[in-house]
C-alpha cells in the first residue's frame, strides 16, 4: 500500500522490532534455559545461564548409557527415556491413524448421507467431549479392568487398551472434517456415482484424496494431543516399562530427588521428534486451523 | 396423468444408475457365523458370572450385525464405529460417574454389601492358648503329622494331599526319619491349610501358621436376616442402608463399609455444608478468574502480535512468526515441568535473574497470590501462539481498502485497530474465545503438573489448594488425600460438566448464527 509516511513511522518500526525481540527473548528463554541446563554438570538448579563447563553426562543417561564418575562409581540411567519415547510415539501413531479413520467415515456420513436427527447427534457428540476426563478416571479404570478380565491384551496396563480408550475422542475431529467436506461440492462424487461407483468407492477414491489437507491436520492434532495426554495414561499404565513420556517425565522431579539436569536432557530429546513432525506439517496446520472461521 | 408419449425425454437432475446388486449370500453366511459366535460369547460370559457384560456385548454385537448385515441404510454403516467409540469410552464413563455421584462410594465404602459381608465372614481368629507346634513327616504314600504336646505326642495316620476328612489324632510315637524343615513346609502350605485335626477330646485344630496348629474361630456368624453376630460378644450388627456400615444398636460401626445410594446428599453438601462450601466457592471463583484472565491475556497478546506481524512496513515477519510459534510446538507437559524448575524459589533461573536485577527472590510456590500469578503467566505463555495464528488468518480476510480509506482520512494505528480490525474479527473470534474459556475451565494438566493446587487453605476440613481449580480439586478428593471420596468427586464433576455443557451450547448457538 504506497503511502507517504513521516519520521514517526520509522520510530514506530524500530519500537516494534525492539518489542518483538524482547518478547521473543522472554518466550524462548525457558527453551534455551533447558538446553543449557542439560549441558551443565550436576543436577543442581544453580549455575550460570551460559554454561561454563559442558558435561555430556545428562545426555548419556537420557540416551540409555551408564555414566562412570571420576571416582569410579557407575551411575545407571535413572529412567528408560528412549523406551518411553518409543511407547509414546507408537501409541500416538496408531491412535491418530485410527482416529482419522473413524472421524473421516463418520464425517462422510454427516456431510453426504441422509439420516434422521443429524444435528442433534453431532451436537451431542461435541457436548460429550466437554466432560472433564480427569474425573471420569474411576469409571475408565473400572471399564478396562472389566475388559481385561475377558480380553487380557486389551485391559489395564496394556498399550492396546490405552489406544482403544483414546478412540472415543473424535467429536471435534468429526466436526472439523465435516466442515471441510462441506466446502467440497458434492457434484464430483455424484458424477462418480453416475459412472457406477458405490458410496464406498466414491468416498475412498474421490472424496478422500481431495480432503488430504484436513486429514493431515487432524492426524497431527490427534498425534500431538495423545503424546501430551496425561490423566488417562497415568491411570491405565503403571509399570515403568509401559509408561508414556508424559507420565514418566514427572518422576524426574520429586522434591526429594530432583534430577533437574537429567530431566532437561530428556525434555530436549522428547521435544525433537514431535517438533519435527509438527514443523513438517506446519503448512497444512496453519491453513487448517483458520479454515472455516474466516470467510462467509 | 401422463401418457408415455408426453413423458419428459430428458429428466432433470443427475441420473442415479444403481450398480448391479452383488449376491447377498456371502453377507448372509458371514452374518450367520458372526451371530452364532456372538451367542456363544454371551453364553460364556453369563456362565462366568458376568451378566451385565454379557448383556452389553449382546446388545452391541446385535446392533453391529443389524447395521452391517441387515439394514439397507448406508449412513449408519459409516457412523457406527465412530459413534460406538464415543458411546463406549465417553458416554459410558460419564453415565457411570454421574451414577457414582448419587452414592457414597469412597475408600471407606468401597465394596458392595455382599462382598463386605463375605469378607467379614471370612475373618477368623486363633485362640492363643490352643496353639500347638507340629512336625510333618514325609512317608511312603503321603505325609504324617505329629502334634507336639507336653506329655504325649499325637500322631495322625498317613494322609495324601487333598485329604478332606478330618484327621484323627491318636497318641503315638513319632514316625521314623527326620521331620520336614520349615523351608520344606512353605510349598506344602496348600496341603496343610485345609486340614482339620480331630483331637481325642473332641476339639478340632486348624492350620495357624508354618509352625503351629490351633483352634480357629470365625469372628462373625451370619444371621438369617442378613445381620452379623459377633462371635465374642454376641452383639448383632445390622447393615445400615443410609450410612453404608454394619452397625449395632449403639450405632458403632465395623469396617469395611459398603456402598449405598445416598440420593442428593453429595449435592446438598456442596450447597449447604458451610465447611465445604467455603473453599468450594473460592475455588469456583478462582476457576472462573483463571480461565477468564488466561483467555483475556493470551487473546490480547495474540491479537496484538497478529496485527503487528501484519504490518507491511515491518521486516523479517516470517522469522518472527516462526519463533513466536515455538511455545505451541513444544509438548505441553515438557514446558510445564520446565517452568516448574525455572520458578523454583531457591535454584530456579528466574529467581536467579530477579535476584541479580532487583535483589528479590519471590516465593512462587509458597505464596498463594504469587502461585496464581505464576499459573496465569505459564498458561499465557502456552496459549498466545494459538491466538496469534488464529487472528492472523482472520485479519487476512479484512479487505485492504478499508485501511487505505482510513489512511486517507488520516487515522492512526490505534484508530485502525479499534474501529476496523477489532469489530471485524470479533464475530468469528467469539466462539473460539468461549471454547478456549471452556478448555481452561477444565485445564487439569497445568495445575496438576505445576503446583498440584498447593499451597493449601489452612482452615478447611477437606484439604483444598488455594490455586486448585474445580477439576483438580475434584481429582484430589477422588484420588489423593485421605478418604478418597469418589462419590463427592463424581457429584462435583457432574456439576462441572453441566456448566461446561452450557458454555458449549452457547458456543454452538454463536457459530450457528455465524454461518448464516
Amino acid at each position: 500500500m504506497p503511502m507517504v509516511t513521516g519520521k514517526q513511522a520509522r520510530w514506530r518500526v524500530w519500537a516494534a522490532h525492539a518489542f518483538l525481540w524482547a518478547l521473543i527473548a522472554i518466550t524462548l528463554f525457558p527453551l534455551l534455559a533447558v538446553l543449557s541446563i542439560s549441558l551443565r554438570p550436576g543436577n543442581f538448579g544453580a549455575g550460570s545461564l551460559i554454561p561454563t563447563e559442558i558435561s555430556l553426562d545428562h545426555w548419556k543417561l537420557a540416551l540409555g548409557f551408564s555414566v562412570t564418575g571420576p571416582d569410579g562409581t557407575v551411575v545407571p540411567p535413572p529412567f528408560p527415556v528412549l523406551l518411553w519415547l518409543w511407547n509414546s510415539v507408537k501409541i500416538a501413531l496408531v491412535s491418530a491413524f485410527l482416529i482419522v479413520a473413524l472421524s473421516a467415515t463418520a464425517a462422510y456420513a454427516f456431510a453426504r448421507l441422509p439420516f434422521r436427527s443429524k444435528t442433534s447427534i453431532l451436537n451431542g457428540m461435541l457436548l460429550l467431549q466437554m466432560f472433564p476426563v480427569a474425573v471420569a478416571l474411576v469409571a475408565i479404570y473400572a471399564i478396562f479392568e472389566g475388559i481385561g478380565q475377558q480380553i487380557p491384551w486389551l485391559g489395564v496396563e496394556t498399550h492396546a487398551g490405552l489406544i482403544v480408550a483414546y478412540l472415543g475422542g473424535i467429536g471435534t475431529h468429526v466436526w472439523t472434517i465435516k466442515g471441510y467436506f462441506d466446502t467440497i461440492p458434492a457434484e464430483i462424487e455424484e458424477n462418480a456415482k453416475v459412472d457406477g461407483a458405490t458410496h464406498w468407492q466414491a468416498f475412498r477414491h474421490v472424496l478422500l484424496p481431495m480432503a488430504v489437507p484436513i486429514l493431515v491436520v487432524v492426524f497431527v492434532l490427534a498425534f500431538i494431543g495423545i503424546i501430551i495426554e496425561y490423566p488417562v495414561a497415568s491411570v491405565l499404565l503403571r509399570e515403568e516399562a509401559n509408561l508414556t513420556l508424559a507420565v514418566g517425565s514427572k518422576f524426574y522431579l520429586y522434591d526429594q530427588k530432583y534430577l533437574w539436569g537429567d530431566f532437561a536432557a530428556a525434555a530436549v530429546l522428547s521435544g525433537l521428534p514431535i517438533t519435527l513432525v509438527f514443523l513438517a506439517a506446519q503448512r497444512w496446520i496453519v491453513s487448517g486451523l483458520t479454515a472455516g472461521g474466516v470467510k462467509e | 396423468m401422463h401418457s408415455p408419449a408426453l413423458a419428459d425425454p430428458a429428466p432433470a437432475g443427475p441420473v442415479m444408475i444403481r450398480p448391479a446388486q452383488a449376491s447377498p449370500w456371502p453377507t448372509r453366511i458371514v452374518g450367520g457365523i458372526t451371530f452364532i459366535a456372538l451367542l456363544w460369547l454371551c453364553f460364556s460370559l453369563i456362565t462366568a458370572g458376568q451378566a451385565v457384560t454379557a448383556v452389553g456385548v449382546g446388545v452391541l454385537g446385535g446392533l453391529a450385525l443389524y447395521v452391517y448385515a441387515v439394514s439397507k441404510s448406508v449412513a449408519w454403516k459409516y457412523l457406527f464405529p465412530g459413534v460406538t467409540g464415543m458411546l463406549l469410552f465417553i458416554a459410558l464413563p460419564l453415565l457411570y460417574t454421574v451414577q457414582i455421584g448419587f452414592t457414597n462410594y469412597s475408600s471407606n465404602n468401597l465394596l458392595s454389601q455382599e462382598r463386605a459381608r463375605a469378607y467379614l465372614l471370612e475373618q477368623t481368629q486363633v485362640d492363643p492358648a490352643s496353639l500347638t507346634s507340629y512336625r510333618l513327616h514325609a512317608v511312603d504314600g503321603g505325609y504324617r503329622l505329629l502334634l507336639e504336646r507336653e506329655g504325649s505326642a499325637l500322631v495322625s495316620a498317613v494322609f495324601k494331599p487333598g485329604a478332606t476328612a478330618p484327621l484323627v489324632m491318636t497318641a503315638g510315637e513319632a514316625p521314623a526319619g527326620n521331620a520336614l524343615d520349615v523351608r520344606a513346609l512353605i510349598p506344602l502350605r496348600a496341603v496343610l491349610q485345609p486340614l482339620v485335626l480331630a483331637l481325642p477330646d473332641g476339639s478340632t485344630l486348624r492350620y495357624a501358621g508354618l509352625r503351629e496348629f490351633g483352634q480357629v474361630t470365625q469372628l462373625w456368624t451370619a444371621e438369617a436376616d442378613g445381620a452379623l453376630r459377633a462371635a465374642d460378644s454376641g452383639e448383632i450388627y445390622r447393615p445400615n442402608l443410609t450410612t453404608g456400615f454394619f452397625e449395632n444398636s449403639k450405632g458403632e460401626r465395623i469396617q469395611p463399609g459398603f456402598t449405598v445410594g445416598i440420593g442428593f446428599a453429595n449435592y446438598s453438601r456442596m450447597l449447604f455444608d458451610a465447611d465445604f462450601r467455603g473453599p468450594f466457592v473460592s475455588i469456583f471463583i478462582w476457576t472462573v478468574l483463571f480461565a477468564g484472565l488466561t483467555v483475556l491475556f493470551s487473546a490480547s497478546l495474540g491479537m496484538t502480535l497478529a496485527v503487528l506481524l501484519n504490518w507491511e512496513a515491518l521486516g523479517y515477519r516470517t522469522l518472527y512468526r516462526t519463533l513466536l510459534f515455538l511455545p505451541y510446538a513444544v509438548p505441553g507437559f515438557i514446558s510445564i515441568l520446565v517452568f516448574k524448575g525455572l520458578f523454583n524459589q531457591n535454584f530456579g533461573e528466574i529467581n536467579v535473574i530477579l535476584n541479580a536485577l532487583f535483589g528479590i527472590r519471590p516465593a512462587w510456590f509458597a505464596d498463594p497470590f504469587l502461585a496464581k500469578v505464576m499459573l496465569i503467566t505459564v498458561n499465557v505463555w502456552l496459549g498466545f501462539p494459538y491466538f496469534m495464528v488464529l487472528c492472523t488468518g482472520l485479519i487476512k480476510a479484512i479487505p485492504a481498502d478499508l485501511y487505505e480509506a482510513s489512511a486517507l482520512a488520516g487515522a492512526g494505528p490505534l484508530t485502525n485497530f479499534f474501529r476496523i480490525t477489532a469489530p471485524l474479527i470479533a464475530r468469528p473470534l467469539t466462539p473460539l474465545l468461549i471454547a478456549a474459556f471452556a478448555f481452561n475451565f477444565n485445564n487439569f494438566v497445568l495445575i496438576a503438573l505445576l503446583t498440584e493446587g498447593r499451597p493449601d487453605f489452612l482452615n478447611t476440613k477437606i484439604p483444598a489448594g488455594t490455586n486448585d481449580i474445580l477439576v483438580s480439586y475434584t481429582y484430589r478428593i477422588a484420588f489423593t488425600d485421605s478418604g478418597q471420596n469418589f462419590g463427592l468427586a463424581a457429584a462435583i464433576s457432574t456439576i462441572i460438566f453441566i456448566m461446561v455443557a452450557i458454555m458449549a451450547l452457547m458456543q454452538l448457538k454463536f457459530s450457528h448464527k455465524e454461518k448464516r
Side-chain angles (χ1 to χ4, degrees):
Chain A
M1 184 170 61
M3 272 177 18
V4 177
T5 55
K7 250 195 281 198
Q8 226 190 11
R10 263 225 315 248
W11 173 87
R12 281 202 218 128
V13 173
W14 282 112
H17 276 287
F19 168 69
L20 283 171
W21 277 111
L23 190 62
I24 287 178
I26 298 177
T27 325
L28 293 189
F29 164 69
L31 306 177
L32 295 173
V34 163
L35 192 56
S36 121
I37 289 164
S38 70
L39 294 171
R40 186 197 292 161
N43 268 319
F44 318 113
S48 50
L49 270 173
I50 305 178
T52 45
E53 312 167 28
I54 304 252
S55 152
L56 292 177
D57 283 352
H58 301 305
W59 280 96
K60 286 196 205 141
L61 289 175
L63 289 172
F65 300 112
S66 296
V67 165
T68 314
D71 52 352
T73 51
V74 176
V75 179
F79 299 109
V81 173
L82 288 181
L83 178 63
W84 286 347
L85 187 61
W86 167 239
N87 286 343
S88 284
V89 169
K90 180 177 59 164
I91 292 175
L93 276 178
V94 176
S95 304
F97 180 71
L98 289 175
I99 285 178
V100 168
L102 288 177
S103 315
T105 46
Y108 176 67
F110 279 110
R112 295 284 189 254
L113 301 172
F115 58 95
R116 284 208 312 247
S117 45
K118 205 185 270 201
T119 330
S120 335
I121 297 184
L122 189 57
N123 286 350
M125 284 170 82
L126 281 177
L127 279 182
L128 273 185
Q129 286 236 231
M130 299 275 164
F131 191 71
V133 175
V135 292
L137 292 176
V138 175
I140 292 181
Y141 187 82
I143 290 175
F144 275 93
E145 202 181 14
I147 293 181
Q149 281 165 356
Q150 305 299 328
I151 312 176
W153 51 269
L154 207 55
V156 196
E157 208 64 65
T158 58
H159 289 161
L162 188 60
I163 290 174
V164 166
Y166 287 142
L167 292 184
I170 60 166
T172 37
H173 298 309
V174 171
W175 174 278
T176 315
I177 301 181
K178 169 188 178 295
Y180 194 87
F181 281 173
D182 284 337
T183 64
I184 300 178
E187 282 75 37
I188 308 178
E189 289 154 71
E190 305 226 337
N191 290 337
K193 290 198 197 125
V194 168
D195 289 341
T198 59
H199 279 293
W200 174 253
Q201 286 165 329
F203 172 59
R204 163 97 175 72
H205 296 286
V206 177
L207 188 57
L208 275 191
M210 283 199 284
V212 164
I214 199 68
L215 295 181
V216 171
V217 167
V218 169
F219 180 85
V220 175
L221 287 179
F223 181 83
I224 294 180
I226 291 170
I227 292 250
I228 68 178
E229 201 275 333
Y230 177 73
V232 178
S234 73
V235 158
L236 288 181
L237 299 174
R238 292 284 170 90
E239 307 267 319
E240 190 183 273
N242 286 342
L243 295 179
T244 61
L245 204 52
V247 181
S249 307
K250 201 174 169 198
F251 294 155
Y252 273 109
L253 299 176
Y254 281 132
D255 286 328
Q256 289 79 21
K257 194 177 180 197
Y258 208 72
L259 299 173
W260 190 215
D262 295 332
F263 169 75
V268 177
L269 195 61
S270 64
L272 281 179
I274 299 154
T275 317
L276 286 175
V277 166
F278 188 85
L279 288 174
Q282 201 190 42
R283 175 166 55 119
W284 280 300
I285 290 258
V286 173
S287 68
L289 272 179
T290 54
V294 182
K295 296 95 191 171
E296 261 104 64
Chain B
M1 210 144 17
H2 274 69
S3 74
L6 292 173
D8 212 353
V15 176
M16 302 290 270
I17 303 174
R18 286 175 61 209
Q21 288 289 348
S23 158
W25 283 105
T27 317
R28 288 189 190 159
I29 293 177
V30 172
I33 295 177
T34 319
F35 182 63
I36 295 175
L38 186 67
L39 280 182
W40 175 84
L41 181 62
C42 290
F43 184 68
S44 55
L45 278 173
I46 294 179
T47 48
Q50 304 265 9
V52 176
T53 321
V55 168
V57 167
V59 166
L60 206 58
L63 276 177
L65 266 180
Y66 176 71
V67 165
Y68 286 104
V70 177
S71 165
K72 296 258 191 308
S73 145
V74 179
W76 277 99
K77 290 188 170 60
Y78 285 90
L79 279 176
F80 189 74
V83 171
T84 313
M86 282 215 92
L87 284 180
L88 269 184
F89 300 111
I90 309 266
L92 195 58
L94 194 158
L95 289 173
Y96 188 74
T97 309
V98 170
Q99 178 258 325
I100 292 179
F102 291 104
T103 69
N104 68 348
Y105 190 41
S106 67
S107 61
N108 290 328
N109 298 63
L110 204 55
L111 307 168
S112 66
Q113 198 189 101
E114 291 71 39
R115 278 181 66 182
R117 180 178 293 113
Y119 173 79
L120 287 167
L121 288 174
E122 280 170 14
Q123 298 310 299
T124 53
Q125 64 181 6
V126 181
D127 178 13
S130 70
L131 286 175
T132 323
S133 48
Y134 68 98
R135 293 208 182 285
L136 193 67
H137 292 260
V139 298
D140 282 336
Y143 302 97
R144 290 184 82 180
L145 196 86
L146 173 79
L147 279 178
E148 296 167 344
R149 295 203 308 186
E150 298 154 35
S152 58
L154 293 175
V155 185
S156 76
V158 179
F159 66 92
K160 291 202 194 316
T164 46
L167 292 179
V168 178
M169 309 296 290
T170 48
E173 287 290 317
N178 284 333
L180 289 177
D181 189 32
V182 169
R183 250 180 285 154
L185 289 179
I186 295 177
L188 293 174
R189 273 180 317 179
V191 177
L192 294 169
Q193 270 167 344
L195 288 180
V196 178
L197 306 179
L199 296 181
D201 59 1
S203 56
T204 58
L205 295 182
R206 298 185 104 98
Y207 179 78
L210 284 174
R211 299 178 195 278
E212 295 153 328
F213 270 68
Q215 274 186 322
V216 170
T217 48
Q218 272 189 315
L219 279 175
W220 303 97
T221 49
E223 294 281 302
D225 57 354
L228 294 175
R229 181 188 288 275
D232 45 4
S233 59
E235 277 188 276
I236 303 241
Y237 284 79
R238 294 192 195 293
N240 185 332
L241 290 178
T242 30
T243 60
F245 289 97
F246 286 94
E247 290 176 355
N248 64 3
S249 47
K250 286 179 276 201
E252 291 162 346
R253 303 173 170 175
I254 47 176
Q255 301 283 354
F258 50 91
T259 313
V260 290
I262 54 175
F264 285 93
N266 283 325
Y267 293 95
S268 57
R269 186 174 177 192
M270 270 191 266
L271 293 174
F272 299 126
D273 181 354
D275 278 334
F276 184 80
R277 200 177 47 211
F280 184 76
V281 170
S282 325
I283 289 174
F284 177 72
I285 294 177
W286 162 239
T287 312
V288 173
L289 269 181
F290 169 72
L293 288 177
T294 305
V295 171
L296 178 68
F297 290 145
S298 43
S300 320
L301 184 57
M303 209 180 330
T304 315
L305 288 173
V307 168
L308 209 50
L309 293 175
N310 201 40
W311 193 17
E312 275 140 20
L314 200 62
Y316 303 105
R317 277 180 296 160
T318 325
L319 173 68
Y320 285 138
R321 217 174 265 138
T322 318
L323 285 178
L324 285 169
F325 194 63
L326 277 183
Y328 203 61
V330 177
F333 66 90
I334 297 280
S335 327
I336 297 172
L337 290 174
V338 166
F339 272 109
K340 186 172 176 175
L342 291 178
F343 273 106
N344 186 308
Q345 183 182 356
N346 297 319
F347 302 121
E349 276 65 18
I350 292 182
N351 272 11
V352 164
I353 295 179
L354 286 178
N355 198 26
L357 289 179
F358 304 113
I360 53 169
R361 280 181 183 270
W364 297 105
F365 287 97
D367 180 62
F369 177 71
L370 286 178
K372 293 184 168 112
V373 167
M374 176 175 65
L375 278 172
I376 296 191
T377 315
V378 174
N379 214 10
V380 170
W381 186 92
L382 290 170
F384 83 85
Y386 172 70
F387 281 107
M388 184 178 78
V389 168
L390 220 48
C391 294
T392 310
L394 293 174
I395 289 177
K396 286 217 191 303
I398 302 178
D401 19 352
L402 287 176
Y403 292 111
E404 284 181 1
S406 86
L408 282 177
L414 282 180
T415 323
N416 275 349
F417 179 72
F418 284 110
R419 290 292 185 84
I420 305 179
T421 319
L424 282 176
I425 64 176
R427 252 285 146 121
L429 195 60
T430 314
L432 298 162
L433 288 175
I434 299 178
F437 182 85
F439 171 74
N440 281 304
F441 197 82
N442 281 336
N443 196 346
F444 168 73
V445 176
L446 175 68
I447 310 285
L449 287 182
L450 193 56
T451 61
E452 293 174 2
R454 305 200 155 89
D456 283 349
F457 285 105
L458 292 174
N459 55 353
T460 54
K461 239 177 16 182
I462 304 180
T466 47
N467 49 48
D468 259 332
I469 56 176
L470 278 177
V471 183
S472 63
Y473 180 51
T474 314
Y475 182 83
R476 222 168 141 177
I477 293 178
F479 294 108
T480 57
D481 300 337
S482 56
Q484 292 178 341
N485 198 336
F486 302 122
L488 183 60
I492 302 179
S493 32
T494 312
I495 298 227
I496 296 176
F497 174 56
I498 295 176
M499 285 195 269
V500 178
I502 294 178
M503 283 189 263
L505 278 172
M506 276 168 46
Q507 178 209 354
L508 286 173
K509 278 226 163 68
F510 252 93
S511 39
H512 275 294
K513 267 199 324 207
E514 245 305 287
K515 294 273 190 274
R516 262 183 251 128

